[in-house]
Amino acid sequence: MVLATAETTTSLDFGPAVALSCRECGARYDLGPIFACSDCFGPLEVAYAWTPPGDAGAAKVTREQIESGPANIWRYRALLPVPADVASHRNLAPGWTKLVKAENLGRELGLRSLHIKDDSGNPTHSFKDRVVAIALEAARNFGFHTLSCSSTGNLAGAVTAAAARAGLDACVFIPSDLEEAKIVMASVYGGRLVGIDGTYDDVNRFCSELIGDPLGDKWGFVNVNLRPYYAEGSKTLAFEIVEQLGWRLPDQIVIPVASGSQLTKIDKAFKELIALGLVEERPYKIFAAQALGCSPVSAAFKAGHDFVRPVKPDTIAKSLAIGNPADGPYVLDIARRTGGAVEDVTDAEVVDSIRLLARTEGIFAETAGGVTVGVLRKLVANGVLDPDAETVVLNTGDGLKTLDAVSALARPTAVIRPSLDAFRTAIADHS
Amino acid sequence: MVLATAETTTSLDFGPAVALSCRECGARYDLGPIFACSDCFGPLEVAYAWTPPGDAGAAKVTREQIESGPANIWRYRALLPVPADVASHRNLAPGWTKLVKAENLGRELGLRSLHIKDDSGNPTHSFKDRVVAIALEAARNFGFHTLSCSSTGNLAGAVTAAAARAGLDACVFIPSDLEEAKIVMASVYGGRLVGIDGTYDDVNRFCSELIGDPLGDKWGFVNVNLRPYYAEGSKTLAFEIVEQLGWRLPDQIVIPVASGSQLTKIDKAFKELIALGLVEERPYKIFAAQALGCSPVSAAFKAGHDFVRPVKPDTIAKSLAIGNPADGPYVLDIARRTGGAVEDVTDAEVVDSIRLLARTEGIFAETAGGVTVGVLRKLVANGVLDPDAETVVLNTGDGLKTLDAVSALARPTAVIRPSLDAFRTAIADHS
């Protein structure tokens, strides 16, 4: 574990962030490239001036200030560990993606008010651009020259693209059996792309080793030694949903679970908005979605456990294929505390749900989006979701990255010569 | 040719649009699903109350009104043939994509001020969402039940996605040899996808036949019988560039040419903004970009011709592969009038330029973006572009749709076991 040195601390500018604090024991640390509590090994989180027991008035952030900001995540810079002038830095400026009023899908599922937060509109077409943008600022603060990560695919592309724009080196690690589109995307921006023969969990363990080695000196692993900063980026999904709903918390939200970090931070963001008086407090339920082939959190929820037993992933939803999810226990806790649930769907349901979403809303989601829409459908059918409550479901990635999931089913109706007769015949054949 | 009937005209709401007018002879027609002048066969364009010799003050549009609009093309609804409440209709709400300050690429090419208008951020990841959104409103106005098109790929996906959201049927036509990603995307949203054995120009001719046939009754072919409305959507690229530059015309702009419609409408939009007092008049130069394997306009420009000799396309830039470009003569005219040029690049230069853009700016463009960046580079090298002038280059599509162009070159640096020793060896091998 690397501790922050006095040298790096002097010139740091993390805006409103004042410290790191242990999620388990509350121990506080100076802001640095560290991620685990040296007392209890709990995960570290970013603490702000207003973080309890701090001063809730310290933020002095108003809706009007936010609304006058840029159409990207930097409109929330006063609520993130970034300097005030972050919008002028060279970065991909992700976020402010569409919150789509999904009337067609809602009608088909029997939901009165359904919205899709569609993060396929981000620069590299997944929500990972959000978290990487925050980690990039931390890497700059700590004087790192190389941006790195372990990735199930989307993150690798987000990191290499962000490094390219920022002028940093990149070296990213992925399981070698990823989808072709994710491999190409992770490589095309330059930097080094290293395939690892193994699962994502193997890649992740390897990166933890590398951090302790001189080879990894001055490297910012966005989801390891920069993880406390990185993870804060997921809060912007919640901030945007609340603002786009007209400064209102949704009643119900369905979130995909890989490591569980995103779900945990969305809950944190809702609580921060309430604490800061930016949104009215009201109950909300958080639902977590997994693919059956990698559903350790769902299995634990259904078994009533408060621990998560690791699994070896086997699902087409590769971006969610983390068999040993670091934040799994927190996901269980949040689902139970808010009155939500954790559910899973089969790969066949994932494919069917991708097609359902495309056909009804014109949104082509990657497999992770098939997982959330599939779980949404299952929860409605099982009577777990309230069909009359305002519901938001996340699509965190783009169908173009997981073409294989649907390519066998998404073919031309017919291939013909350019003649009306041929077309008449083809129509007759297919009607 | 179909003329508007009194029946359809009564309930039409095209907002500020008042008529169609012939670009060649100026003859005026009622707004209807027509696209060619019955006198001279010239193309029809949308005319507004302020279109000369109309009243320039009729628009009464201010910068402030536009700036207070939504973060999509509907902020310009008062300058488009759409009803005032268009933003509340079910559509994909495209536009307001990023204008990226490309400092890295500018430095590499020796340009003082370079911006990239990156339309890969649109809902189906190409600029086609803009034009389809306008055509969709026209289809609604005319009571059409099916949305259709001839397409080189991007348009088919944009049409089927828009139809899905709007609740219309779709039947789209593509050359059968398109990129896999474009085929899947055009099919996944539902509707009918028909592959045609032939070139885009064959597909286009077939669609013109179909319009005259009872089979195509009540069909809106977005780029044929709805073309005057559809084409207006390209103006929003120009509107956004000007607003994002701080209400200023760029000195130089590089635009890809397929049919030539986009370039023609960007010029029209600049002129409209000037006429309406929304931007200060100043000279601007328009540069057109083609792939050498389909460069009929570039060939005509270099030969000093004012006509365009059709070619049979042979290039990896399939979205630009229109061998008989309808607006080619207008492109020649605009390039010459503004002091611009038309240039082309080889397929190898296209691939190299895709990688250059990715490596410097973190933007993964499709082949059409490789064409514009390649032409930009060539024009700078040849001294045709002024390196000190403010320059904008368009990226109109997404690299994920043309993976094959770069996939052989965008591979992992190494594939290793998850061990530090293996990584050390791999680094030594590749350094």
Side-chain angles (χ1 to χ4, degrees):
Chain A
M1 198 171 314
V2 184
L3 290 168
T5 65
E7 178 194 55
T8 57
T9 312
T10 47
S11 61
L12 298 184
D13 182 354
F14 281 100
V18 294
L20 295 178
S21 78
C22 176
R23 194 177 163 111
E24 287 296 328
C25 73
R28 287 219 165 196
Y29 297 85
D30 285 346
L31 292 162
I34 55 174
F35 56 101
C37 178
S38 54
D39 290 343
C40 75
F41 302 103
L44 301 184
E45 289 191 319
V46 172
Y48 300 89
W50 65 82
T51 304
D55 172 13
K60 297 192 199 80
V61 186
T62 66
R63 292 179 182 179
E64 291 68 29
Q65 283 168 358
I66 291 169
E67 287 167 353
S68 68
N72 56 52
I73 61 171
W74 307 132
R75 66 200 285 114
Y76 306 107
R77 61 192 178 279
L79 305 173
L80 296 167
V82 295
D85 65 347
V86 63
S88 68
H89 294 186
R90 278 212 298 269
N91 57 59
L92 296 178
W96 203 242
T97 57
K98 292 184 196 300
L99 183 73
V100 175
K101 194 170 178 189
E103 294 172 310
N104 298 332
L105 180 59
R107 194 168 46 244
E108 188 130 346
L109 299 182
L111 286 163
R112 193 183 53 80
S113 170
L114 176 65
H115 286 84
I116 297 160
K117 180 61 175 172
D118 183 15
D119 248 19
S120 66
N122 273 317
T124 70
H125 306 322
S126 88
F127 94 98
K128 293 292 186 183
D129 291 320
R130 300 176 181 273
V131 286
V132 170
I134 312 289
L136 170 63
E137 287 304 313
R140 281 187 168 124
N141 256 316
F142 297 131
F144 292 154
H145 54 62
T146 298
L147 219 52
S148 183
C149 67
S150 54
S151 170
T152 55
N154 281 324
L155 182 57
V159 165
T160 49
R165 176 76 61 84
L168 296 181
D169 289 336
C171 184
V172 298
F173 301 90
I174 56 171
S176 56
D177 69 344
L178 281 190
E179 298 95 339
E180 172 72 3
K182 289 182 181 167
I183 290 175
V184 172
M185 201 158 184
S187 166
V188 75
Y189 302 110
R192 278 178 292 193
L193 170 68
V194 179
I196 298 280
D197 284 327
T199 64
Y200 171 78
D201 300 286
D202 295 324
V203 180
N204 210 19
R205 271 191 300 275
F206 168 76
C207 286
S208 297
E209 270 187 77
L210 188 49
I211 286 175
D213 191 275
L215 273 176
D217 188 42
K218 294 280 181 192
W219 284 31
F221 290 80
V222 299
N223 55 344
V224 190
N225 60 347
L226 300 179
R227 190 171 187 85
Y229 312 93
Y230 164 92
E232 290 290 287
S234 286
K235 293 194 316 189
T236 61
L237 273 165
F239 294 156
E240 291 180 15
I241 290 167
V242 165
E243 183 178 350
Q244 289 170 324
L245 285 176
W247 294 104
R248 195 170 68 243
L249 290 164
D251 296 318
Q252 311 177 123
I253 183 167
V254 182
I255 304 171
V257 169
S259 74
S261 169
Q262 181 183 78
L263 184 145
T264 309
K265 296 303 173 179
I266 287 175
D267 179 57
K268 182 181 189 231
F270 286 162
K271 288 194 285 192
E272 285 181 359
L273 291 178
I274 293 168
L276 293 168
L278 285 164
V279 73
E280 197 180 330
E281 181 160 18
R282 55 188 285 198
Y284 56 85
K285 296 184 180 183
I286 293 186
F287 297 85
Q290 295 206 295
L292 180 61
C294 183
S295 53
V297 187
S298 171
F301 182 84
K302 292 173 180 179
H305 296 160
D306 56 7
F307 61 91
V308 173
R309 195 186 308 271
V311 301
K312 191 163 163 50
D314 179 20
T315 169
I316 58 169
K318 294 187 182 180
S319 64
L320 303 182
I322 298 184
N324 188 13
D327 289 335
Y330 301 123
V331 170
L332 291 171
D333 179 53
I334 291 166
R336 287 174 179 140
R337 173 172 53 76
T338 64
V342 189
E343 190 51 273
D344 52 69
V345 284
T346 66
D347 282 1
E349 288 171 305
V350 170
V351 171
D352 198 47
S353 300
I354 291 173
R355 298 178 77 205
L356 172 67
L357 179 61
R359 179 170 58 77
T360 53
E361 298 299 340
I363 295 173
F364 184 23
E366 77 148 297
T367 45
V371 169
T372 51
V373 171
V375 163
L376 171 77
R377 181 158 59 166
K378 192 166 176 178
L379 291 171
V380 176
N382 294 349
V384 178
L385 268 175
D386 177 356
D388 291 322
E390 187 158 63
T391 306
V392 174
V393 60
L394 301 194
N395 172 40
T396 52
D398 201 293
L400 284 172
K401 296 199 198 178
T402 58
L403 275 187
D404 286 351
V406 296
S407 59
L409 298 164
R411 310 310 307 170
T413 318
V415 176
I416 60 169
R417 286 174 299 108
S419 87
L420 288 178
D421 279 349
F423 184 53
R424 270 192 203 96
T425 309
I427 283 186
D429 287 351
H430 290 86
S431 59
Chain B
M1 198 170 311
V2 184
L3 290 168
T5 63
E7 179 195 55
T8 57
T9 312
T10 47
S11 60
L12 299 183
D13 183 355
F14 281 100
V18 294
L20 297 178
S21 76
C22 175
R23 196 180 162 109
E24 289 295 327
C25 73
R28 288 218 164 196
Y29 297 84
D30 285 346
L31 292 162
I34 54 174
F35 56 101
C37 178
S38 54
D39 289 344
C40 76
F41 301 103
L44 301 184
E45 289 191 320
V46 172
Y48 300 89
W50 65 81
T51 304
D55 171 15
K60 299 193 199 78
V61 186
T62 66
R63 293 179 183 179
E64 292 68 29
Q65 283 168 358
I66 290 169
E67 288 167 352
S68 68
N72 56 52
I73 60 171
W74 305 132
R75 66 201 282 114
Y76 306 107
R77 62 191 177 279
L79 305 173
L80 296 167
V82 296
D85 64 347
V86 63
S88 69
H89 293 186
R90 279 211 298 271
N91 57 58
L92 297 177
W96 203 240
T97 57
K98 293 184 194 301
L99 184 73
V100 174
K101 195 172 177 187
E103 294 173 310
N104 297 331
L105 180 60
R107 193 167 48 245
E108 188 128 347
L109 299 182
L111 286 165
R112 193 183 54 77
S113 170
L114 176 65
H115 285 85
I116 297 159
K117 181 60 176 173
D118 184 14
D119 248 20
S120 66
N122 272 317
T124 70
H125 306 323
S126 89
F127 93 97
K128 293 293 187 182
D129 291 320
R130 299 176 182 272
V131 285
V132 170
I134 311 290
L136 170 62
E137 287 305 312
R140 281 188 167 123
N141 257 316
F142 297 131
F144 292 154
H145 54 63
T146 298
L147 220 51
S148 183
C149 67
S150 54
S151 170
T152 55
N154 281 323
L155 181 57
V159 164
T160 49
R165 175 77 60 83
L168 295 181
D169 289 336
C171 184
V172 298
F173 301 90
I174 56 171
S176 56
D177 68 345
L178 282 190
E179 299 94 339
E180 173 72 3
K182 289 183 181 166
I183 291 175
V184 172
M185 200 156 184
S187 166
V188 76
Y189 302 110
R192 278 177 292 192
L193 170 68
V194 178
I196 298 281
D197 285 326
T199 64
Y200 171 76
D201 299 285
D202 294 323
V203 180
N204 209 19
R205 267 191 302 272
F206 168 75
C207 286
S208 297
E209 270 187 78
L210 188 48
I211 286 176
D213 192 276
L215 273 176
D217 187 44
K218 294 280 179 191
W219 285 30
F221 291 79
V222 299
N223 55 343
V224 190
N225 60 348
L226 300 179
R227 191 172 186 84
Y229 312 94
Y230 164 92
E232 290 290 287
S234 286
K235 293 193 318 190
T236 60
L237 273 164
F239 295 157
E240 291 179 17
I241 289 167
V242 165
E243 182 177 353
Q244 290 170 323
L245 285 176
W247 294 105
R248 197 171 65 242
L249 290 164
D251 296 319
Q252 311 176 123
I253 182 165
V254 182
I255 304 170
V257 168
S259 74
S261 169
Q262 181 184 79
L263 185 144
T264 308
K265 295 303 173 180
I266 286 175
D267 179 57
K268 183 181 188 230
F270 287 162
K271 289 194 286 190
E272 285 182 358
L273 292 178
I274 293 167
L276 294 168
L278 285 164
V279 73
E280 198 181 328
E281 181 159 17
R282 56 187 285 199
Y284 57 85
K285 295 183 180 183
I286 293 187
F287 296 85
Q290 295 207 295
L292 179 61
C294 184
S295 53
V297 187
S298 171
F301 183 84
K302 292 174 181 178
H305 296 160
D306 56 5
F307 60 91
V308 173
R309 195 186 308 270
V311 300
K312 191 163 162 52
D314 179 18
T315 170
I316 59 170
K318 295 187 182 180
S319 64
L320 303 182
I322 298 183
N324 189 13
D327 289 335
Y330 301 124
V331 170
L332 291 171
D333 179 53
I334 290 166
R336 288 174 179 140
R337 174 172 53 75
T338 65
V342 188
E343 189 51 274
D344 52 68
V345 285
T346 66
D347 282 1
E349 288 172 304
V350 170
V351 171
D352 198 49
S353 301
I354 290 173
R355 299 178 77 205
L356 172 67
L357 180 61
R359 177 169 59 76
T360 53
E361 299 297 340
I363 295 172
F364 184 24
E366 77 148 295
T367 45
V371 169
T372 52
V373 171
V375 162
L376 172 77
R377 180 157 61 166
K378 192 166 177 180
L379 292 170
V380 176
N382 293 350
V384 178
L385 268 176
D386 177 356
D388 291 323
E390 187 158 64
T391 307
V392 174
V393 60
L394 300 195
N395 172 41
T396 52
D398 201 294
L400 285 173
K401 296 200 200 178
T402 58
L403 275 187
D404 285 352
V406 296
S407 59
L409 298 164
R411 309 309 309 169
T413 318
V415 176
I416 61 169
R417 286 174 299 109
S419 87
L420 289 177
D421 279 348
F423 184 53
R424 268 190 206 94
T425 309
I427 283 187
D429 286 350
H430 290 87
S431 60

